[in-house]
PDB file of all heavy atoms in Angstrom:
ATOM      1  N   VAL A  27       4.788   7.173   8.615  1.00 74.00           N
ATOM      2  CA  VAL A  27       4.174   7.225   7.284  1.00 74.00           C
ATOM      3  C   VAL A  27       4.304   5.824   6.648  1.00 74.00           C
ATOM      4  O   VAL A  27       5.377   5.229   6.654  1.00 74.00           O
ATOM      5  CB  VAL A  27       4.887   8.295   6.410  1.00 74.00           C
ATOM      6  CG1 VAL A  27       4.361   8.217   4.976  1.00 74.00           C
ATOM      7  CG2 VAL A  27       4.712   9.649   6.982  1.00 74.00           C
ATOM      8  N   ARG A  28       3.217   5.337   6.174  1.00 91.00           N
ATOM      9  CA  ARG A  28       3.200   4.035   5.521  1.00 91.00           C
ATOM     10  C   ARG A  28       3.488   4.211   4.034  1.00 91.00           C
ATOM     11  O   ARG A  28       3.230   5.252   3.466  1.00 91.00           O
ATOM     12  CB  ARG A  28       1.810   3.383   5.698  1.00 91.00           C
ATOM     13  CG  ARG A  28       1.362   3.243   7.088  1.00 91.00           C
ATOM     14  CD  ARG A  28       2.085   2.117   7.791  1.00 91.00           C
ATOM     15  NE  ARG A  28       1.426   1.907   9.072  1.00 91.00           N
ATOM     16  CZ  ARG A  28       1.920   1.144   9.987  1.00 91.00           C
ATOM     17  NH1 ARG A  28       3.051   0.522   9.801  1.00 91.00           N
ATOM     18  NH2 ARG A  28       1.306   0.971  11.113  1.00 91.00           N
ATOM     19  N   ARG A  29       3.946   3.145   3.438  1.00 96.00           N
ATOM     20  CA  ARG A  29       4.212   3.127   1.970  1.00 96.00           C
ATOM     21  C   ARG A  29       3.346   2.063   1.369  1.00 96.00           C
ATOM     22  O   ARG A  29       3.376   0.900   1.775  1.00 96.00           O
ATOM     23  CB  ARG A  29       5.664   2.862   1.669  1.00 96.00           C
ATOM     24  CG  ARG A  29       5.904   2.748   0.172  1.00 96.00           C
ATOM     25  CD  ARG A  29       7.329   2.427  -0.157  1.00 96.00           C
ATOM     26  NE  ARG A  29       8.194   3.503   0.247  1.00 96.00           N
ATOM     27  CZ  ARG A  29       8.613   4.484  -0.580  1.00 96.00           C
ATOM     28  NH1 ARG A  29       8.292   4.451  -1.818  1.00 96.00           N
ATOM     29  NH2 ARG A  29       9.403   5.421  -0.120  1.00 96.00           N
ATOM     30  N   ILE A  30       2.592   2.445   0.345  1.00 97.00           N
ATOM     31  CA  ILE A  30       1.812   1.509  -0.446  1.00 97.00           C
ATOM     32  C   ILE A  30       2.533   1.334  -1.767  1.00 97.00           C
ATOM     33  O   ILE A  30       2.794   2.323  -2.471  1.00 97.00           O
ATOM     34  CB  ILE A  30       0.373   2.001  -0.697  1.00 97.00           C
ATOM     35  CG1 ILE A  30      -0.341   2.317   0.583  1.00 97.00           C
ATOM     36  CG2 ILE A  30      -0.408   0.992  -1.539  1.00 97.00           C
ATOM     37  CD1 ILE A  30      -1.659   3.094   0.393  1.00 97.00           C
ATOM     38  N   THR A  31       2.845   0.129  -2.092  1.00 97.00           N
ATOM     39  CA  THR A  31       3.472  -0.192  -3.380  1.00 97.00           C
ATOM     40  C   THR A  31       2.458  -0.922  -4.215  1.00 97.00           C
ATOM     41  O   THR A  31       1.826  -1.864  -3.782  1.00 97.00           O
ATOM     42  CB  THR A  31       4.744  -1.072  -3.169  1.00 97.00           C
ATOM     43  OG1 THR A  31       5.635  -0.426  -2.299  1.00 97.00           O
ATOM     44  CG2 THR A  31       5.419  -1.323  -4.509  1.00 97.00           C
ATOM     45  N   LEU A  32       2.301  -0.442  -5.438  1.00 98.00           N
ATOM     46  CA  LEU A  32       1.369  -1.055  -6.394  1.00 98.00           C
ATOM     47  C   LEU A  32       2.198  -1.628  -7.543  1.00 98.00           C
ATOM     48  O   LEU A  32       2.921  -0.879  -8.230  1.00 98.00           O
ATOM     49  CB  LEU A  32       0.378   0.006  -6.891  1.00 98.00           C
ATOM     50  CG  LEU A  32      -0.660  -0.473  -7.896  1.00 98.00           C
ATOM     51  CD1 LEU A  32      -1.532  -1.550  -7.287  1.00 98.00           C
ATOM     52  CD2 LEU A  32      -1.496   0.703  -8.377  1.00 98.00           C
ATOM     53  N   ILE A  33       2.149  -2.899  -7.708  1.00 98.00           N
ATOM     54  CA  ILE A  33       2.870  -3.589  -8.773  1.00 98.00           C
ATOM     55  C   ILE A  33       1.894  -3.819  -9.895  1.00 98.00           C
ATOM     56  O   ILE A  33       0.869  -4.458  -9.732  1.00 98.00           O
ATOM     57  CB  ILE A  33       3.494  -4.913  -8.309  1.00 98.00           C
ATOM     58  CG1 ILE A  33       4.462  -4.616  -7.106  1.00 98.00           C
ATOM     59  CG2 ILE A  33       4.222  -5.615  -9.437  1.00 98.00           C
ATOM     60  CD1 ILE A  33       4.989  -5.853  -6.432  1.00 98.00           C
ATOM     61  N   THR A  34       2.232  -3.276 -11.070  1.00 97.00           N
ATOM     62  CA  THR A  34       1.299  -3.251 -12.217  1.00 97.00           C
ATOM     63  C   THR A  34       2.005  -3.714 -13.481  1.00 97.00           C
ATOM     64  O   THR A  34       3.195  -3.975 -13.475  1.00 97.00           O
ATOM     65  CB  THR A  34       0.779  -1.828 -12.466  1.00 97.00           C
ATOM     66  OG1 THR A  34       1.886  -0.988 -12.824  1.00 97.00           O
ATOM     67  CG2 THR A  34       0.076  -1.260 -11.230  1.00 97.00           C
ATOM     68  N   LYS A  35       1.227  -3.760 -14.568  1.00 96.00           N
ATOM     69  CA  LYS A  35       1.799  -3.932 -15.880  1.00 96.00           C
ATOM     70  C   LYS A  35       0.914  -3.138 -16.856  1.00 96.00           C
ATOM     71  O   LYS A  35      -0.262  -2.923 -16.635  1.00 96.00           O
ATOM     72  CB  LYS A  35       1.908  -5.383 -16.269  1.00 96.00           C
ATOM     73  CG  LYS A  35       0.622  -6.103 -16.531  1.00 96.00           C
ATOM     74  CD  LYS A  35       0.905  -7.534 -16.954  1.00 96.00           C
ATOM     75  CE  LYS A  35      -0.421  -8.286 -17.166  1.00 96.00           C
ATOM     76  NZ  LYS A  35      -0.205  -9.667 -17.580  1.00 96.00           N
ATOM     77  N   PRO A  36       1.492  -2.675 -17.945  1.00 96.00           N
ATOM     78  CA  PRO A  36       0.752  -1.868 -18.911  1.00 96.00           C
ATOM     79  C   PRO A  36      -0.446  -2.646 -19.491  1.00 96.00           C
ATOM     80  O   PRO A  36      -0.387  -3.843 -19.669  1.00 96.00           O
ATOM     81  CB  PRO A  36       1.789  -1.574 -19.999  1.00 96.00           C
ATOM     82  CG  PRO A  36       3.116  -1.711 -19.324  1.00 96.00           C
ATOM     83  CD  PRO A  36       2.898  -2.803 -18.324  1.00 96.00           C
ATOM     84  N   GLY A  37      -1.544  -1.906 -19.707  1.00 95.00           N
ATOM     85  CA  GLY A  37      -2.719  -2.493 -20.336  1.00 95.00           C
ATOM     86  C   GLY A  37      -3.581  -3.292 -19.393  1.00 95.00           C
ATOM     87  O   GLY A  37      -4.534  -3.958 -19.835  1.00 95.00           O
ATOM     88  N   CYS A  38      -3.302  -3.257 -18.131  1.00 95.00           N
ATOM     89  CA  CYS A  38      -4.056  -4.041 -17.156  1.00 95.00           C
ATOM     90  C   CYS A  38      -5.209  -3.234 -16.569  1.00 95.00           C
ATOM     91  O   CYS A  38      -4.986  -2.249 -15.849  1.00 95.00           O
ATOM     92  CB  CYS A  38      -3.074  -4.468 -16.050  1.00 95.00           C
ATOM     93  SG  CYS A  38      -3.864  -5.136 -14.565  1.00 95.00           S
ATOM     94  N   HIS A  39      -6.474  -3.619 -16.907  1.00 96.00           N
ATOM     95  CA  HIS A  39      -7.614  -2.853 -16.433  1.00 96.00           C
ATOM     96  C   HIS A  39      -7.797  -2.964 -14.932  1.00 96.00           C
ATOM     97  O   HIS A  39      -8.230  -2.036 -14.271  1.00 96.00           O
ATOM     98  CB  HIS A  39      -8.884  -3.241 -17.187  1.00 96.00           C
ATOM     99  CG  HIS A  39      -9.406  -4.598 -16.802  1.00 96.00           C
ATOM    100  ND1 HIS A  39      -8.897  -5.746 -17.324  1.00 96.00           N
ATOM    101  CD2 HIS A  39     -10.410  -4.944 -15.973  1.00 96.00           C
ATOM    102  CE1 HIS A  39      -9.568  -6.777 -16.822  1.00 96.00           C
ATOM    103  NE2 HIS A  39     -10.475  -6.304 -15.997  1.00 96.00           N
ATOM    104  N   LEU A  40      -7.446  -4.122 -14.359  1.00 97.00           N
ATOM    105  CA  LEU A  40      -7.501  -4.253 -12.885  1.00 97.00           C
ATOM    106  C   LEU A  40      -6.482  -3.341 -12.218  1.00 97.00           C
ATOM    107  O   LEU A  40      -6.722  -2.813 -11.108  1.00 97.00           O
ATOM    108  CB  LEU A  40      -7.264  -5.705 -12.443  1.00 97.00           C
ATOM    109  CG  LEU A  40      -8.369  -6.687 -12.806  1.00 97.00           C
ATOM    110  CD1 LEU A  40      -7.941  -8.092 -12.379  1.00 97.00           C
ATOM    111  CD2 LEU A  40      -9.671  -6.315 -12.175  1.00 97.00           C
ATOM    112  N   CYS A  41      -5.394  -3.099 -12.875  1.00 97.00           N
ATOM    113  CA  CYS A  41      -4.369  -2.191 -12.349  1.00 97.00           C
ATOM    114  C   CYS A  41      -4.905  -0.760 -12.280  1.00 97.00           C
ATOM    115  O   CYS A  41      -4.656  -0.019 -11.306  1.00 97.00           O
ATOM    116  CB  CYS A  41      -3.097  -2.219 -13.193  1.00 97.00           C
ATOM    117  SG  CYS A  41      -2.300  -3.834 -13.230  1.00 97.00           S
ATOM    118  N   ASP A  42      -5.686  -0.367 -13.307  1.00 97.00           N
ATOM    119  CA  ASP A  42      -6.299   0.937 -13.307  1.00 97.00           C
ATOM    120  C   ASP A  42      -7.279   1.094 -12.140  1.00 97.00           C
ATOM    121  O   ASP A  42      -7.277   2.122 -11.456  1.00 97.00           O
ATOM    122  CB  ASP A  42      -7.037   1.200 -14.633  1.00 97.00           C
ATOM    123  CG  ASP A  42      -6.100   1.225 -15.839  1.00 97.00           C
ATOM    124  OD1 ASP A  42      -4.873   1.502 -15.638  1.00 97.00           O
ATOM    125  OD2 ASP A  42      -6.586   0.956 -16.938  1.00 97.00           O
ATOM    126  N   ASP A  43      -8.065   0.080 -11.883  1.00 97.00           N
ATOM    127  CA  ASP A  43      -8.995   0.077 -10.773  1.00 97.00           C
ATOM    128  C   ASP A  43      -8.279   0.155  -9.452  1.00 97.00           C
ATOM    129  O   ASP A  43      -8.617   0.950  -8.559  1.00 97.00           O
ATOM    130  CB  ASP A  43      -9.901  -1.178 -10.790  1.00 97.00           C
ATOM    131  CG  ASP A  43     -10.800  -1.255 -12.002  1.00 97.00           C
ATOM    132  OD1 ASP A  43     -10.987  -0.245 -12.719  1.00 97.00           O
ATOM    133  OD2 ASP A  43     -11.319  -2.368 -12.268  1.00 97.00           O
ATOM    134  N   ALA A  44      -7.209  -0.646  -9.296  1.00 98.00           N
ATOM    135  CA  ALA A  44      -6.433  -0.662  -8.083  1.00 98.00           C
ATOM    136  C   ALA A  44      -5.757   0.665  -7.825  1.00 98.00           C
ATOM    137  O   ALA A  44      -5.725   1.175  -6.702  1.00 98.00           O
ATOM    138  CB  ALA A  44      -5.394  -1.779  -8.129  1.00 98.00           C
ATOM    139  N   ARG A  45      -5.225   1.275  -8.899  1.00 98.00           N
ATOM    140  CA  ARG A  45      -4.554   2.568  -8.778  1.00 98.00           C
ATOM    141  C   ARG A  45      -5.499   3.628  -8.217  1.00 98.00           C
ATOM    142  O   ARG A  45      -5.120   4.416  -7.345  1.00 98.00           O
ATOM    143  CB  ARG A  45      -4.031   3.019 -10.167  1.00 98.00           C
ATOM    144  CG  ARG A  45      -3.245   4.303 -10.130  1.00 98.00           C
ATOM    145  CD  ARG A  45      -2.699   4.677 -11.515  1.00 98.00           C
ATOM    146  NE  ARG A  45      -1.863   3.632 -12.063  1.00 98.00           N
ATOM    147  CZ  ARG A  45      -2.217   2.806 -13.071  1.00 98.00           C
ATOM    148  NH1 ARG A  45      -3.387   2.916 -13.655  1.00 98.00           N
ATOM    149  NH2 ARG A  45      -1.397   1.889 -13.523  1.00 98.00           N
ATOM    150  N   ALA A  46      -6.737   3.620  -8.657  1.00 98.00           N
ATOM    151  CA  ALA A  46      -7.714   4.607  -8.167  1.00 98.00           C
ATOM    152  C   ALA A  46      -7.964   4.435  -6.673  1.00 98.00           C
ATOM    153  O   ALA A  46      -8.029   5.415  -5.924  1.00 98.00           O
ATOM    154  CB  ALA A  46      -9.027   4.483  -8.957  1.00 98.00           C
TER     155      ALA A  46
END
Side-chain angles (χ1 to χ4, degrees):
V27 174
R28 305 284 189 190
R29 175 182 296 263
I30 304 169
T31 303
L32 181 60
I33 301 172
T34 63
K35 69 178 179 181
C38 167
H39 72 280
L40 290 177
C41 298
D42 296 336
D43 296 343
R45 184 178 302 108

